[in-house]
Amino acid sequence: MSRPSYIKSRLNSFRFAFNGLSAVFRFEPNMRLHVLSSIVVLGMAYGFDVTRMEWCLLILCIGMVWVAEIFNTSIETLTNLVSPEHNPLAGKTKDLAAGAVLMAAITAAVVGLFIFIPYWVGYVNTEL
Ligand SMILES: Nc1ncnc2c1ncn2[C@@H]1O[C@H](COP(=O)(O)OP(=O)(O)OP(=O)(O)O)[C@@H](O)[C@H]1O
């Protein structure tokens, strides 16, 4: 492959990936919920001035949930294409993908609680 066409095809790959991201943010109500929760979490992290390691853990958890939701949307879309009619396997496929998002969200919530509970306790103690 010649150099300009290689660069063009790599740039196109990025464009297609951004199209996917844009679609999930525009059309998936669950993704908006994830974005809202992420803003709340990042706001609290900023407010409590969490450590660098805690920032990394929170950002990793947010990324994990977003990635799980994007895969879930992709699997749902493919399932609708392959099996628009009712089919127990299609239902199971969608439920498994949704289960993965739930698992990621529960994991993120547990990490968030481990990080924020001491800050909440400290805040309440200084306010009382
Ligand atoms: N083709 C199908 N055959 C059998 N069951 C299906 C089918 N499509 C959906 N279902 C069942 O209905 C549930 C809801 O399907 P839907 O397509 O609305 O997904 P969803 O998880 O609610 O989507 P979203 O996350 O976008 O709200 C699925 O989890 C699955 O159990």
Side-chain angles (χ1 to χ4, degrees):
M1 195 182 279
S2 72
R3 199 165 179 78
S5 78
Y6 174 80
I7 291 171
K8 199 174 167 197
S9 87
R10 290 311 88 214
L11 284 176
N12 273 338
S13 299
F14 272 109
R15 194 161 56 80
F16 299 144
F18 278 113
N19 284 346
L21 266 188
S22 147
V24 86
F25 284 113
R26 275 186 294 148
F27 302 120
E28 284 304 312
N30 284 347
M31 198 66 201
R32 294 196 194 122
L33 208 64
H34 295 314
V35 171
L36 192 69
S37 325
S38 305
I39 291 170
V40 170
V41 166
L42 294 176
M44 274 199 297
Y46 181 77
F48 285 124
D49 194 20
V50 301
T51 66
R52 189 181 290 253
M53 189 54 77
E54 288 165 341
W55 270 113
C56 291
L57 285 170
L58 292 172
I59 289 166
L60 265 176
C61 285
I62 288 171
M64 173 179 69
V65 174
W66 286 27
V67 167
E69 186 58 48
I70 294 165
F71 273 124
N72 178 41
T73 303
S74 173
I75 289 167
E76 271 178 15
T77 308
L78 186 61
T79 307
N80 289 340
L81 172 72
V82 174
S83 176
E85 69 292 346
H86 191 272
N87 183 312
L89 281 178
K92 185 178 175 184
T93 304
K94 286 187 174 185
D95 291 348
L96 285 168
V101 179
L102 182 62
M103 195 65 235
I106 291 171
T107 307
V110 171
V111 171
L113 288 176
F114 267 104
I115 290 175
F116 285 118
I117 282 176
Y119 288 103
W120 291 334
V121 170
Y123 179 76
V124 169
N125 285 342
T126 54
E127 290 299 303
L128 293 180

CSV table of all heavy atoms in Angstrom, one decimal, residues 27-31 69 72-73 76-77 79-80 82-98 101, ligand 1:
chain,number,residue,atom,x,y,z
A,27,PHE,N,-27.9,8.5,20.5
A,27,PHE,CA,-29.1,7.7,20.4
A,27,PHE,C,-29.3,6.7,21.6
A,27,PHE,O,-30.4,6.1,21.7
A,27,PHE,CB,-29.1,6.9,19.1
A,27,PHE,CG,-29.0,7.7,17.9
A,27,PHE,CD1,-27.9,7.6,17.0
A,27,PHE,CD2,-30.0,8.7,17.7
A,27,PHE,CE1,-27.8,8.4,15.9
A,27,PHE,CE2,-29.9,9.5,16.5
A,27,PHE,CZ,-28.8,9.4,15.7
A,28,GLU,N,-28.4,6.6,22.5
A,28,GLU,CA,-28.5,5.7,23.6
A,28,GLU,C,-28.8,6.4,24.9
A,28,GLU,O,-28.0,7.0,25.5
A,28,GLU,CB,-27.2,4.8,23.8
A,28,GLU,CG,-27.1,3.7,22.8
A,28,GLU,CD,-28.2,2.8,22.7
A,28,GLU,OE1,-28.7,2.3,23.8
A,28,GLU,OE2,-28.7,2.5,21.6
A,29,PRO,N,-30.1,6.3,25.4
A,29,PRO,CA,-30.4,7.0,26.7
A,29,PRO,C,-29.6,6.5,27.8
A,29,PRO,O,-29.2,7.3,28.7
A,29,PRO,CB,-31.9,6.6,26.9
A,29,PRO,CG,-32.4,6.0,25.6
A,29,PRO,CD,-31.2,5.5,24.8
A,30,ASN,N,-29.2,5.2,27.8
A,30,ASN,CA,-28.4,4.7,28.9
A,30,ASN,C,-27.0,5.4,29.0
A,30,ASN,O,-26.4,5.6,30.0
A,30,ASN,CB,-28.1,3.2,28.8
A,30,ASN,CG,-29.4,2.4,29.2
A,30,ASN,OD1,-30.3,3.0,29.8
A,30,ASN,ND2,-29.4,1.1,28.8
A,31,MET,N,-26.5,5.7,27.8
A,31,MET,CA,-25.2,6.3,27.7
A,31,MET,C,-25.2,7.7,28.3
A,31,MET,O,-24.3,8.2,29.0
A,31,MET,CB,-24.7,6.4,26.2
A,31,MET,CG,-23.3,6.7,26.1
A,31,MET,SD,-22.3,5.3,26.6
A,31,MET,CE,-20.7,6.0,26.9
A,69,GLU,N,-20.9,-0.3,27.7
A,69,GLU,CA,-22.1,0.2,27.1
A,69,GLU,C,-22.0,0.3,25.6
A,69,GLU,O,-23.0,0.0,24.9
A,69,GLU,CB,-22.5,1.6,27.7
A,69,GLU,CG,-23.8,2.2,27.3
A,69,GLU,CD,-25.0,1.3,27.6
A,69,GLU,OE1,-25.1,0.8,28.8
A,69,GLU,OE2,-25.8,1.0,26.7
A,72,ASN,N,-22.3,-3.2,24.4
A,72,ASN,CA,-23.7,-3.6,24.5
A,72,ASN,C,-24.5,-3.1,23.4
A,72,ASN,O,-25.3,-3.8,22.8
A,72,ASN,CB,-24.2,-3.1,25.9
A,72,ASN,CG,-25.7,-3.5,26.1
A,72,ASN,OD1,-26.1,-4.5,25.8
A,72,ASN,ND2,-26.5,-2.5,26.6
A,73,THR,N,-24.3,-1.8,23.0
A,73,THR,CA,-25.1,-1.2,21.9
A,73,THR,C,-24.8,-1.9,20.6
A,73,THR,O,-25.7,-2.1,19.8
A,73,THR,CB,-24.8,0.3,21.9
A,73,THR,OG1,-25.0,0.9,23.1
A,73,THR,CG2,-25.6,1.0,20.8
A,76,GLU,N,-26.5,-5.3,20.6
A,76,GLU,CA,-27.9,-5.1,20.4
A,76,GLU,C,-28.2,-4.8,19.0
A,76,GLU,O,-29.2,-5.4,18.4
A,76,GLU,CB,-28.4,-4.0,21.3
A,76,GLU,CG,-28.8,-4.3,22.7
A,76,GLU,CD,-29.3,-3.1,23.5
A,76,GLU,OE1,-29.5,-2.1,22.9
A,76,GLU,OE2,-29.4,-3.3,24.7
A,77,THR,N,-27.4,-3.9,18.4
A,77,THR,CA,-27.6,-3.6,17.0
A,77,THR,C,-27.5,-4.8,16.0
A,77,THR,O,-28.3,-5.0,15.2
A,77,THR,CB,-26.7,-2.4,16.6
A,77,THR,OG1,-26.7,-1.4,17.5
A,77,THR,CG2,-27.0,-1.9,15.2
A,79,THR,N,-27.7,-7.9,16.9
A,79,THR,CA,-28.8,-8.9,17.2
A,79,THR,C,-30.1,-8.5,16.4
A,79,THR,O,-30.7,-9.3,15.8
A,79,THR,CB,-29.0,-9.0,18.7
A,79,THR,OG1,-27.8,-9.2,19.3
A,79,THR,CG2,-30.0,-10.1,19.0
A,80,ASN,N,-30.4,-7.2,16.5
A,80,ASN,CA,-31.6,-6.7,15.8
A,80,ASN,C,-31.5,-7.0,14.2
A,80,ASN,O,-32.5,-7.3,13.6
A,80,ASN,CB,-31.8,-5.2,16.0
A,80,ASN,CG,-32.3,-5.0,17.4
A,80,ASN,OD1,-32.7,-5.9,18.1
A,80,ASN,ND2,-32.1,-3.8,17.9
A,82,VAL,N,-29.5,-9.4,12.8
A,82,VAL,CA,-29.5,-10.8,12.5
A,82,VAL,C,-30.9,-11.5,12.8
A,82,VAL,O,-31.3,-12.4,12.1
A,82,VAL,CB,-28.4,-11.5,13.3
A,82,VAL,CG1,-28.4,-13.0,13.1
A,82,VAL,CG2,-27.0,-11.0,12.8
A,83,SER,N,-31.5,-11.0,13.9
A,83,SER,CA,-32.7,-11.7,14.3
A,83,SER,C,-33.8,-10.7,14.7
A,83,SER,O,-34.1,-10.4,15.9
A,83,SER,CB,-32.4,-12.6,15.5
A,83,SER,OG,-33.5,-13.2,16.1
A,84,PRO,N,-34.4,-10.0,13.7
A,84,PRO,CA,-35.4,-9.0,14.1
A,84,PRO,C,-36.7,-9.7,14.7
A,84,PRO,O,-37.4,-9.1,15.4
A,84,PRO,CB,-35.7,-8.3,12.7
A,84,PRO,CG,-35.1,-9.1,11.7
A,84,PRO,CD,-34.2,-10.1,12.3
A,85,GLU,N,-36.9,-10.9,14.3
A,85,GLU,CA,-38.0,-11.7,14.9
A,85,GLU,C,-37.7,-12.2,16.3
A,85,GLU,O,-36.5,-12.3,16.6
A,85,GLU,CB,-38.5,-12.8,13.9
A,85,GLU,CG,-37.5,-14.0,13.8
A,85,GLU,CD,-36.2,-13.7,13.1
A,85,GLU,OE1,-36.1,-12.6,12.5
A,85,GLU,OE2,-35.3,-14.5,13.3
A,86,HIS,N,-38.7,-12.6,17.0
A,86,HIS,CA,-38.5,-13.1,18.4
A,86,HIS,C,-37.7,-14.4,18.3
A,86,HIS,O,-38.0,-15.3,17.6
A,86,HIS,CB,-39.8,-13.3,19.1
A,86,HIS,CG,-39.6,-13.5,20.6
A,86,HIS,ND1,-39.4,-14.8,21.1
A,86,HIS,CD2,-39.5,-12.7,21.6
A,86,HIS,CE1,-39.2,-14.7,22.4
A,86,HIS,NE2,-39.3,-13.4,22.8
A,87,ASN,N,-36.6,-14.5,19.1
A,87,ASN,CA,-35.8,-15.7,19.1
A,87,ASN,C,-35.2,-15.8,20.5
A,87,ASN,O,-34.5,-14.8,20.9
A,87,ASN,CB,-34.8,-15.6,18.0
A,87,ASN,CG,-33.9,-16.9,18.0
A,87,ASN,OD1,-33.4,-17.4,19.0
A,87,ASN,ND2,-33.7,-17.4,16.8
A,88,PRO,N,-35.3,-16.9,21.2
A,88,PRO,CA,-34.7,-17.0,22.6
A,88,PRO,C,-33.2,-16.7,22.6
A,88,PRO,O,-32.7,-16.1,23.6
A,88,PRO,CB,-35.0,-18.4,23.0
A,88,PRO,CG,-36.1,-18.9,22.1
A,88,PRO,CD,-36.0,-18.1,20.9
A,89,LEU,N,-32.5,-17.1,21.6
A,89,LEU,CA,-31.1,-16.9,21.5
A,89,LEU,C,-30.7,-15.4,21.4
A,89,LEU,O,-29.8,-14.9,22.0
A,89,LEU,CB,-30.4,-17.7,20.4
A,89,LEU,CG,-30.2,-19.2,20.7
A,89,LEU,CD1,-29.6,-19.9,19.5
A,89,LEU,CD2,-29.3,-19.4,21.9
A,90,ALA,N,-31.6,-14.7,20.6
A,90,ALA,CA,-31.4,-13.3,20.5
A,90,ALA,C,-31.6,-12.6,21.8
A,90,ALA,O,-30.8,-11.7,22.2
A,90,ALA,CB,-32.4,-12.7,19.4
A,91,GLY,N,-32.7,-13.0,22.5
A,91,GLY,CA,-32.9,-12.5,23.8
A,91,GLY,C,-31.8,-12.7,24.8
A,91,GLY,O,-31.3,-11.8,25.5
A,92,LYS,N,-31.3,-14.0,24.8
A,92,LYS,CA,-30.2,-14.3,25.7
A,92,LYS,C,-28.9,-13.5,25.3
A,92,LYS,O,-28.2,-13.0,26.2
A,92,LYS,CB,-29.9,-15.8,25.5
A,92,LYS,CG,-28.8,-16.3,26.5
A,92,LYS,CD,-28.6,-17.8,26.3
A,92,LYS,CE,-27.4,-18.3,27.2
A,92,LYS,NZ,-27.1,-19.7,27.0
A,93,THR,N,-28.7,-13.3,24.0
A,93,THR,CA,-27.5,-12.5,23.6
A,93,THR,C,-27.6,-11.1,24.2
A,93,THR,O,-26.6,-10.6,24.7
A,93,THR,CB,-27.4,-12.4,22.1
A,93,THR,OG1,-27.4,-13.8,21.6
A,93,THR,CG2,-26.2,-11.7,21.6
A,94,LYS,N,-28.8,-10.5,24.0
A,94,LYS,CA,-29.0,-9.1,24.5
A,94,LYS,C,-28.8,-9.1,26.1
A,94,LYS,O,-28.2,-8.1,26.6
A,94,LYS,CB,-30.3,-8.6,24.1
A,94,LYS,CG,-30.4,-8.2,22.7
A,94,LYS,CD,-31.7,-7.5,22.4
A,94,LYS,CE,-31.7,-7.0,21.0
A,94,LYS,NZ,-33.0,-6.3,20.7
A,95,ASP,N,-29.4,-10.1,26.7
A,95,ASP,CA,-29.4,-10.1,28.2
A,95,ASP,C,-27.9,-10.3,28.7
A,95,ASP,O,-27.5,-9.6,29.7
A,95,ASP,CB,-30.3,-11.2,28.8
A,95,ASP,CG,-31.7,-10.9,28.5
A,95,ASP,OD1,-32.1,-9.8,28.2
A,95,ASP,OD2,-32.6,-11.8,28.7
A,96,LEU,N,-27.1,-11.1,28.0
A,96,LEU,CA,-25.7,-11.3,28.4
A,96,LEU,C,-25.0,-9.9,28.3
A,96,LEU,O,-24.2,-9.6,29.1
A,96,LEU,CB,-25.1,-12.3,27.5
A,96,LEU,CG,-25.4,-13.8,27.9
A,96,LEU,CD1,-25.0,-14.7,26.8
A,96,LEU,CD2,-24.8,-14.2,29.3
A,97,ALA,N,-25.2,-9.2,27.1
A,97,ALA,CA,-24.5,-8.0,26.9
A,97,ALA,C,-24.9,-6.9,28.0
A,97,ALA,O,-24.1,-6.2,28.5
A,97,ALA,CB,-24.8,-7.5,25.5
A,98,ALA,N,-26.2,-6.9,28.3
A,98,ALA,CA,-26.7,-6.0,29.3
A,98,ALA,C,-26.1,-6.4,30.7
A,98,ALA,O,-25.8,-5.5,31.5
A,98,ALA,CB,-28.2,-6.0,29.4
A,101,VAL,N,-22.7,-4.9,31.2
A,101,VAL,CA,-22.8,-3.5,31.6
A,101,VAL,C,-23.1,-3.4,33.1
A,101,VAL,O,-22.5,-2.6,33.8
A,101,VAL,CB,-23.9,-2.7,30.8
A,101,VAL,CG1,-23.9,-1.2,31.2
A,101,VAL,CG2,-23.6,-2.8,29.3
B,1,LIG,N1,-35.3,-10.6,19.0
B,1,LIG,C1,-35.5,-10.9,20.3
B,1,LIG,N2,-35.9,-12.2,20.7
B,1,LIG,C2,-36.1,-12.5,22.0
B,1,LIG,N3,-36.1,-11.6,23.0
B,1,LIG,C3,-35.7,-10.4,22.7
B,1,LIG,C4,-35.4,-9.9,21.4
B,1,LIG,N4,-35.1,-8.6,21.4
B,1,LIG,C5,-35.2,-8.3,22.7
B,1,LIG,N5,-35.5,-9.3,23.5
B,1,LIG,C6,-35.7,-9.3,25.0
B,1,LIG,O1,-36.2,-8.0,25.3
B,1,LIG,C7,-35.2,-7.3,26.2
B,1,LIG,C8,-35.2,-5.9,25.8
B,1,LIG,O2,-34.8,-5.7,24.4
B,1,LIG,P1,-34.3,-4.3,23.8
B,1,LIG,O3,-34.0,-4.6,22.4
B,1,LIG,O4,-35.3,-3.3,24.2
B,1,LIG,O5,-33.0,-4.2,24.6
B,1,LIG,P2,-32.7,-3.3,25.8
B,1,LIG,O6,-31.6,-4.0,26.7
B,1,LIG,O7,-33.9,-2.9,26.6
B,1,LIG,O8,-32.1,-2.0,25.1
B,1,LIG,P3,-31.5,-0.7,25.7
B,1,LIG,O9,-30.3,-1.0,26.5
B,1,LIG,O10,-31.2,0.1,24.5
B,1,LIG,O11,-32.7,-0.1,26.5
B,1,LIG,C9,-33.9,-8.0,25.9
B,1,LIG,O12,-33.0,-7.9,26.9
B,1,LIG,C10,-34.3,-9.4,25.6
B,1,LIG,O13,-34.5,-10.1,26.9
